[in-house]
């Protein structure tokens, strides 16, 4: 079956394409609240209509046995691997697809042709190299591929993908062993870019190696799309099979190595002192420096010519990454999740010591606890944070930023940026390393879900944490951009213009709105946790998330997915009008007094006042015979029978009617219009004349019968002074100027500033910490 028929041909629609799927085009209703229907893939035996894996669900497995050697002098990596591939699918496979991500760096890589470019006043080496495409001797060199008996197997390399043509068809429930030998020149990721490579420190003539996407890896073959062999362009990340790993890394003897999984030979590669500290860390409640700062500083100039091999194993992971350098402080402590011990660890250089030594490992532990509470208990034995002026994630290990100034000070922005990126990258263990979505197709399922959980963890770290993604009002500037600068969240990662807002911030904001405003915390938290439990160590699709959230909560959310994930419409609900009504008291004295106020107001206009001021002699004044009864009578005089009339009226009322009459309710009719197009709940804050406040929350379903304009009447015990909608800015309304009655002016400010740019994760200029020290 073709991929387009299997899943979500409509899930990567443009906003205009989505509009063509309206159920009731041209009408003011019957569109935004219709079920998603054919937009989602049909449920089947692999994926149920509830959003859970079906009874016939399957996924492939790939085990790796890898030997790698790091040549620091020549900046080269050489490796060999044995892949045992298990075909758990019902399909016979005549070839296998393998990812070669390092080929992204080749001068001839397609991604250098497909990226647009232009000349500016300042051009970096990376900018110019992308234009010149000079030979860089980068990319992976496949030396040979054989079966387990050493017989050569043919293969074809297409940019970042390699097809291995099997000599015999791999039948369902069968397995096949492939041996691959390769090498490549390690790129300078600080100039070439990319996720893995080396960083050179000229001050001490040393390197930091972050080895990521460094070996040929099996692509995913799944029930919903067959092979995921989409080329690696640099943005859309990975879709990988789970498996077990054994990895031997041979490096200079004075290097420290940290990686995915657990080291099997610390006793052979660590000094006696470091081994003792490692054992102390097993029960430590605060981080213990296994390799400390003084040790690495004293060893920076004593480069060993000997080699050591570090052996790591990892079970049920989808990838493997590692760090190696002689300039790494290493600390660790134990943390516990549901009674299970996990080693939280950090690796960092001297320039990051003031920040990482204080925060990193504790942030790792905090992240595991918060994410485990909201998803599933963290299942792995280790979680590592590495400072590498970067931000990228792999199973059990991630690379982050956060460096201090030479004097040890740092800015508040660097501090919170570092904490945020550690939470984010450690959090990726859950999404997508465990709940294993296809990042190359749907970046938001990886980045958006993780950014949402990051927001929860930041807020549980510090109630005053300056979270930049998650609160609804912080997505407003993006959502009110011109439509030609926007795409639906359900867009392939390579096609997105503003990647950060689209893949990270908007889906995180949507989930936060679901939790706080649409569903409520209790229903949302249960359903979100159910999704994580159902799809842990499996390959979910967007439909599985959408269906599970509804299935576990009994909340119909198709309108929400339509608006937030399939369209580019913003939220802009306008409070157009407020009309005040009160019940007629039927008491002449009261009602006549009110009628007189209205009469006087109606008869007061500018012409009349100016005529009087001008001293005009009116006709009825010049000829009094023109005056009659109506010029003299009191139209608002209370009749002598007024009391009797009221008593007669009141006595005619039933008990319930008398109760309603005595309540003296004030009635307010509010008119709203949906200016933005994205239907949302209406949250109304009433401020009464006595200064008290009250909030009403109207579900989004009020828009069902008219998606453009609605009215709603409210009965209040007290008179209202003002009305404000969305008072806590929880719906991402892009125009607050039309949210109040009476209308309020929207103050704003501007500043003239000089734009500056600095390396990610670095402090520049002065900072309050340094200024305080100088006082």
């Amino acid at each position: 079956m073709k991929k387009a028929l299997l899943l979500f041909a409509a899930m990567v629609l443009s906003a205009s394409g989505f509009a063509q799927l309206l159920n009731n085009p041209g009408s003011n209703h019957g569109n935004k609240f219709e079920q998603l229907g054919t937009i989602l893939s049909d449920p089947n035996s692999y994926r149920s209509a509830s959003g859970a894996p079906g009874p016939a669900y399957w996924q492939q497995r790939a085990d790796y046995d890898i030997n790698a050697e790091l040549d620091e002098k020549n900046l080269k990596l050489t490796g060999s691997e044995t892949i045992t591939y298990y075909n758990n699918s019902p399909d016979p496979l005549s070839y296998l697809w393998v990812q070669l991500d390092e080929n992204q760096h080749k001068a001839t890589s397609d991604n250098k042709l497909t990226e647009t470019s232009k000349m500016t006043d300042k051009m970096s080496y990376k900018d110019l190299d992308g234009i010149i495409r000079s030979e860089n001797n980068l990319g992976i060199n496949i030396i040979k591929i054989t079966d387990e008996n050493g017989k050569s197997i043919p293969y074809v390399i297409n940019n970042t993908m390699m097809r291995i043509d099997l000599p015999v068809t791999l039948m369902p429930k069968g397995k096949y062993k492939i041996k691959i030998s390769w090498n490549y020149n390690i790129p300078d990721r600080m100039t070439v870019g990319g996720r893995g490579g080396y960083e050179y420190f000229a001050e001490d003539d040393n390197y930091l190696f972050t080895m990521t996407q460094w070996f040929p890896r099996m692509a995913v073959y799944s029930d919903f799309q067959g092979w995921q062999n989409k080329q690696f362009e640099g943005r859309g990340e990975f879709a990988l099979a789970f498996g077990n790993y054994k990895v031997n890394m041979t490096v200079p003897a004075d290097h420290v190595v940290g990686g995915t999984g657990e080291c099997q030979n610390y006793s052979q590669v660590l000094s006696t002192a470091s081994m003792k500290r490692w054992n102390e860390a097993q029960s430590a409640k605060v981080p213990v420096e296994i390799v400390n700062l003084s040790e690495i500083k004293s060893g920076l100039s004593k480069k060993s010519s000997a080699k050591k091999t570090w052996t790591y194993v990892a079970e049920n992971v989808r990838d493997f990454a590692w760090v190696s350098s002689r300039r790494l402080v290493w600390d660790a402590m134990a943390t516990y999740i549901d009674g299970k011990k996990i080693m939280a660890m950090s690796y960092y250089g001297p320039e990051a010591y003031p920040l990482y030594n204080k925060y990193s490992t504790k942030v790792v532990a905090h992240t595991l606890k918060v994410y485990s509470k909201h998803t599933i208990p963290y299942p792995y034995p280790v979680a590592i944070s590495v400072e590498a002026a970067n931000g990228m994630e792999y199973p059990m290990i991630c690379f982050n930023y956060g460096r201090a100034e030479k004097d040890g000070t740092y800015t508040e922005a660097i501090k919170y940026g570092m904490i945020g990126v550690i939470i984010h990258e450690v959090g990726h263990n859950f999404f997508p390393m465990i709940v294993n979505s296809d990042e190359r197709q749907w970046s938001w399922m990886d980045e958006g879900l993780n950014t949402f959980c990051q927001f929860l963890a930041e807020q549980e770290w510090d109630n005053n944490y300056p979270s930049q993604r998650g609160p609804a009002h912080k997505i407003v500037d993006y959502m009110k951009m011109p439509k030609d600068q926007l795409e639906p969240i359900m867009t392939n990662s390579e096609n997105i213009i503003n990647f950060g807002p689209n893949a990270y911030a908007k889906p995180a904001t949507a989930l936060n709105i679901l939790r706080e405003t649409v569903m409520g915390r209790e229903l949302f938290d249960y359903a979100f946790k159910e999704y994580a439990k159902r799809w842990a160590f499996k390959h979910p699709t967007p439909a599985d998330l959408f269906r599970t959230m509804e299935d576990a909560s009994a909340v119909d959310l198709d309108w929400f997915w339509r608006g937030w994930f399939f369209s580019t419409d913003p939220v802009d609900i306008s409070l157009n009008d407020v009309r005040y009504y009160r019940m007629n008291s039927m008491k002449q004295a009261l009602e006549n007094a009110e009628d007189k106020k209205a009469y006087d107001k109606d008869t007061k206009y500018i012409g009349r006042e100016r005529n009087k001021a001008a001293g005009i002699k009116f006709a009825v004044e010049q000829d009094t015979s023109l005056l009659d009864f109506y010029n003299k009578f009191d139209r608002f005089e209370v009749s002598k029978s007024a009391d009797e009339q009221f008593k007669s009226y009141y006595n005619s009322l039933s008990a319930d009617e008398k109760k309603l009459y005595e309540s003296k309710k004030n009635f307010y009719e509010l008119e709203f219009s949906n200016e933005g197009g994205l239907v949302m709940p209406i949250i109304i804050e009433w401020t009464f004349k006595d200064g008290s406040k009250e909030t009403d929350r109207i579900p989004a379903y009020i828009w069902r019968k008219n998606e453009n304009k609605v009215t709603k009447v409210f009965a209040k015990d007290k008179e209202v002074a003002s009305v404000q909608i969305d008072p806590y800015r929880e719906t991402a309304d892009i125009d607050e100027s039309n949210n109040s009655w009476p209308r309020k002016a929207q103050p704003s400010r501007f500043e003239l500033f000089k734009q500056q740019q600095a390396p990610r994760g670095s402090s520049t200029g002065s900072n309050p910490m340094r200024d305080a020290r100088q006082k």
Side-chain angles (χ1 to χ4, degrees):
M1 213 184 292
K2 292 182 179 179
K3 293 180 183 178
L5 293 179
L6 278 172
L7 184 71
F8 307 135
M11 286 198 129
V12 290
L13 292 172
S14 66
S16 60
F18 175 63
Q20 297 172 11
L21 297 178
L22 295 177
N23 185 67
N24 192 15
S27 175
N28 66 358
H29 66 283
N31 293 306
K32 300 181 186 299
F33 288 93
E34 292 304 309
Q35 298 300 289
L36 290 175
T38 55
I39 295 177
L40 299 185
S41 61
D42 292 335
N44 51 48
S45 61
Y46 308 129
R47 295 166 191 273
S48 72
S50 70
Y57 177 83
W58 56 266
Q59 64 187 40
Q60 309 292 65
R61 171 182 159 189
D63 293 345
Y64 296 81
D65 192 332
I66 307 175
N67 295 294
E69 183 166 347
L70 174 64
D71 182 345
E72 183 176 34
K73 181 179 179 181
N74 295 303
L75 299 174
K76 188 173 184 177
L77 185 77
T78 301
S80 63
E81 65 184 306
T82 299
I83 305 174
T84 304
Y85 188 74
Y86 297 81
N87 183 14
N88 296 321
S89 80
D91 307 324
L93 302 176
S94 59
Y95 50 80
L96 308 177
W97 280 103
V98 176
Q99 299 187 28
L100 303 178
D101 291 351
E102 267 302 316
N103 282 351
Q104 175 208 7
H105 298 301
K106 293 179 70 171
T108 56
S109 176
D110 284 352
N111 70 297
K112 291 182 171 57
L113 291 172
T114 57
E115 285 296 325
T116 59
S117 57
K118 63 180 180 179
M119 298 299 294
T120 63
D121 292 340
K122 294 182 179 180
M123 299 291 290
S124 69
Y125 168 83
K126 184 180 177 182
D127 294 333
L128 294 174
D129 187 60
I131 296 170
I132 299 169
R133 303 179 73 207
S134 55
E135 178 54 50
N136 54 21
N137 204 23
L138 296 178
I140 196 164
N141 303 308
I142 299 297
I143 299 170
K144 63 178 179 178
I145 300 179
T146 70
D147 64 14
E148 61 182 319
N149 298 317
K151 185 176 180 181
S152 293
I153 301 176
Y155 61 91
V156 174
I157 295 177
N158 176 15
N159 203 17
T160 61
M161 299 300 300
M162 178 171 67
R163 190 188 71 232
I164 298 177
D165 297 325
L166 300 177
V168 294
T169 299
L170 178 56
M171 300 304 291
K173 307 306 177 185
K175 67 179 181 179
Y176 196 84
K177 286 192 176 183
I178 303 167
K179 294 188 175 183
I180 306 176
S181 298
W182 80 96
N183 64 48
Y184 66 86
N185 294 320
I186 303 170
D188 179 354
R189 63 177 174 82
M190 306 305 288
T191 57
V192 174
R195 291 171 169 83
Y198 69 81
E199 180 180 1
Y200 177 64
F201 294 84
E203 61 268 29
D204 53 52
D205 188 31
N206 275 286
Y207 294 90
L208 172 67
F209 295 94
T210 52
M211 308 310 297
T212 67
Q213 297 141 250
W214 57 282
F215 62 98
R217 305 174 297 170
M218 293 301 307
V220 165
Y221 185 79
S222 67
D223 64 277
F224 61 86
Q225 67 178 354
W227 285 108
Q228 168 52 292
N229 51 16
K230 182 174 171 58
Q231 296 288 342
F232 179 49
E233 299 288 339
R235 175 185 283 174
E237 292 172 359
F238 325 117
L240 299 165
F242 285 104
N244 300 325
Y245 285 72
K246 179 182 179 183
V247 182
N248 298 309
M249 294 152 285
T250 301
V251 302
D254 52 355
H255 274 214
V256 170
V257 172
T260 296
E262 294 180 288
C263 184
Q264 302 299 292
N265 62 338
Y266 278 149
S267 60
Q268 298 172 29
V269 295
L270 295 182
S271 68
T272 302
S274 291
M275 191 67 200
K276 182 175 182 293
R277 296 171 197 149
W278 169 250
N279 289 328
E280 291 173 358
Q282 302 303 304
S283 56
K285 295 182 180 179
V286 294
V288 174
E289 289 186 29
I290 296 147
V291 177
N292 62 42
L293 185 61
S294 62
E295 287 170 336
I296 67 166
K297 283 185 174 180
S298 65
L300 287 178
S301 61
K302 306 171 186 177
K303 298 180 182 178
S304 174
S305 59
K307 299 275 188 178
K308 281 185 181 178
T309 298
W310 299 61
T311 300
Y312 275 72
V313 297
E315 295 183 355
N316 206 16
V317 294
R318 52 168 255 172
D319 202 357
F320 190 102
W322 50 293
V323 62
S324 182
S325 179
R326 66 176 53 83
R327 62 189 318 282
L328 288 174
V329 175
W330 169 22
D331 70 37
M333 73 175 189
T335 189
Y336 291 86
I337 305 294
D338 284 5
K340 177 186 174 182
K341 183 175 76 173
I342 294 131
M343 293 305 296
M345 304 196 288
S346 297
Y347 297 77
Y348 43 94
E351 58 284 331
Y353 189 90
L355 281 159
Y356 269 65
N357 186 260
K358 182 178 179 65
Y359 290 111
S360 180
T361 296
K362 291 181 179 179
V363 175
V364 171
H366 171 77
T367 303
L368 298 181
K369 291 175 182 177
V370 175
Y371 275 65
S372 295
K373 178 174 69 173
H374 290 286
T375 60
I376 64 168
Y378 184 71
Y380 294 130
V382 172
I384 296 171
S385 165
V386 180
E387 198 291 314
N390 201 350
M392 191 57 205
E393 72 283 352
Y394 301 89
M396 295 185 242
I397 186 171
C398 61
F399 303 92
N400 311 304
Y401 69 77
R403 297 177 182 178
E405 301 286 354
K406 296 291 185 183
D407 62 3
T409 65
Y410 48 83
T411 65
E412 185 179 30
I414 289 297
K415 169 192 168 181
Y416 284 114
M418 175 206 66
I419 292 172
V421 77
I422 293 174
I423 291 173
H424 184 88
E425 307 304 345
V426 172
H428 270 308
N429 276 289
F430 296 83
F431 305 101
M433 300 302 158
I434 296 169
V435 182
N436 191 11
S437 57
D438 180 354
E439 302 169 74
R440 196 152 295 178
Q441 182 63 46
W442 304 295
S443 291
W444 70 268
M445 290 195 75
D446 156 26
E447 301 297 356
L449 271 63
N450 183 46
T451 301
F452 164 69
C453 291
Q454 174 192 344
F455 171 66
L456 299 180
E458 288 173 348
Q459 294 304 302
E460 291 193 37
W461 175 267
D462 182 348
N463 193 44
N464 296 314
Y465 194 96
S467 297
Q468 296 305 306
R469 289 168 171 168
H473 68 278
K474 291 185 179 289
I475 198 64
V476 163
D477 286 344
Y478 172 68
M479 294 187 70
K480 65 183 180 183
M481 289 177 66
K483 288 291 184 78
D484 63 0
Q485 296 295 305
L486 300 174
E487 323 75 13
I489 290 175
M490 289 297 301
T491 299
N492 179 267
S493 60
E494 309 297 345
N495 302 332
I496 298 169
I497 296 176
N498 293 284
F499 190 67
N502 181 282
Y504 292 70
K506 187 178 178 183
T509 302
L511 292 174
N512 189 41
I513 290 173
L514 269 186
R515 184 173 189 253
E516 300 288 5
T517 303
V518 175
M519 299 174 70
R521 291 189 175 188
E522 183 178 1
L523 287 174
F524 177 92
D525 289 351
Y526 181 88
F528 192 71
K529 196 176 186 76
E530 182 67 17
Y531 167 72
K533 285 168 26 180
R534 285 178 173 183
W535 291 99
F537 302 104
K538 295 180 177 68
H539 302 297
T541 66
D544 301 316
L545 170 64
F546 298 157
R547 286 169 168 155
T548 295
M549 292 301 293
E550 296 191 22
D551 182 69
S553 67
V555 179
D556 180 6
L557 297 172
D558 282 32
W559 65 271
F560 190 86
W561 309 129
R562 277 181 180 272
W564 277 91
F565 288 78
F566 290 91
S567 86
T568 58
D569 287 342
V571 180
D572 181 9
I573 298 174
S574 173
L575 174 58
N576 296 335
D577 196 12
V578 177
R579 298 183 181 89
Y580 172 45
Y581 298 87
R582 63 168 182 78
M583 192 181 303
N584 192 317
S585 69
M586 301 303 289
K587 294 180 178 179
Q588 277 193 27
L590 295 177
E591 297 305 320
N592 286 7
E594 289 298 318
D595 290 345
K596 186 177 188 305
K597 290 179 184 178
Y599 179 85
D600 290 343
K601 181 179 180 181
D602 185 60
T603 57
K604 186 175 182 179
Y605 46 86
I606 189 66
R608 168 178 280 188
E609 297 300 314
R610 286 177 175 172
N611 287 342
K612 185 186 296 184
I616 293 176
K617 293 295 185 179
F618 302 104
V620 293
E621 293 176 338
Q622 297 181 51
D623 182 358
T624 58
S625 67
L626 298 174
L627 299 174
D628 70 356
F629 169 80
Y630 292 105
N631 294 100
K632 301 176 182 180
F633 94 110
D634 182 359
R635 69 186 67 242
F636 301 109
E637 180 182 6
V638 177
S639 68
K640 295 179 181 179
S641 62
D643 289 342
E644 290 300 321
Q645 291 176 12
F646 173 75
K647 288 179 183 178
S648 175
Y649 161 76
Y650 186 81
N651 290 334
S652 70
L653 300 178
S654 67
D656 288 339
E657 288 171 336
K658 287 179 180 177
K659 184 178 179 181
L660 176 60
Y661 175 88
E662 295 295 344
S663 69
K664 296 181 171 57
K665 293 286 186 182
N666 300 281
F667 295 87
Y668 295 89
E669 180 185 277
L670 275 57
E671 180 186 281
F672 305 95
S673 61
N674 180 8
E675 302 293 329
L678 183 51
V679 292
M680 285 293 284
I682 304 175
I683 301 138
I684 308 163
E685 181 183 74
W686 307 84
T687 300
F688 300 103
K689 289 188 174 180
D690 64 2
S692 61
K693 293 180 183 289
E694 182 178 290
T695 301
D696 284 313
R697 292 177 172 269
I698 312 301
Y701 303 110
I702 192 173
W703 300 98
R704 280 177 299 182
K705 295 181 179 178
N706 189 329
E707 296 158 2
N708 303 320
K709 186 174 290 186
V710 295
T711 60
K712 183 74 174 175
V713 178
F714 300 85
K716 299 298 175 183
D717 292 327
K718 295 181 283 188
E719 282 195 55
V720 172
S722 62
V723 181
Q724 178 76 34
I725 63 173
D726 197 16
Y728 294 100
R729 298 190 295 173
E730 56 188 287
T731 67
D733 194 307
I734 66 168
D735 184 3
E736 295 183 59
S737 68
N738 58 20
N739 285 9
S740 59
W741 174 84
R743 288 283 190 254
K744 297 177 183 177
Q746 299 295 308
S748 186
R749 297 183 298 171
F750 71 91
E751 176 184 0
L752 181 66
F753 74 100
K754 182 178 181 180
Q755 189 171 5
Q756 296 178 335
Q757 186 171 351
R760 184 182 187 193
S762 64
S763 296
T764 58
S766 187
N767 60 72
M769 182 182 286
R770 177 186 294 159
D771 295 342
R773 289 184 181 181
Q774 293 175 349
K775 288 181 180 178

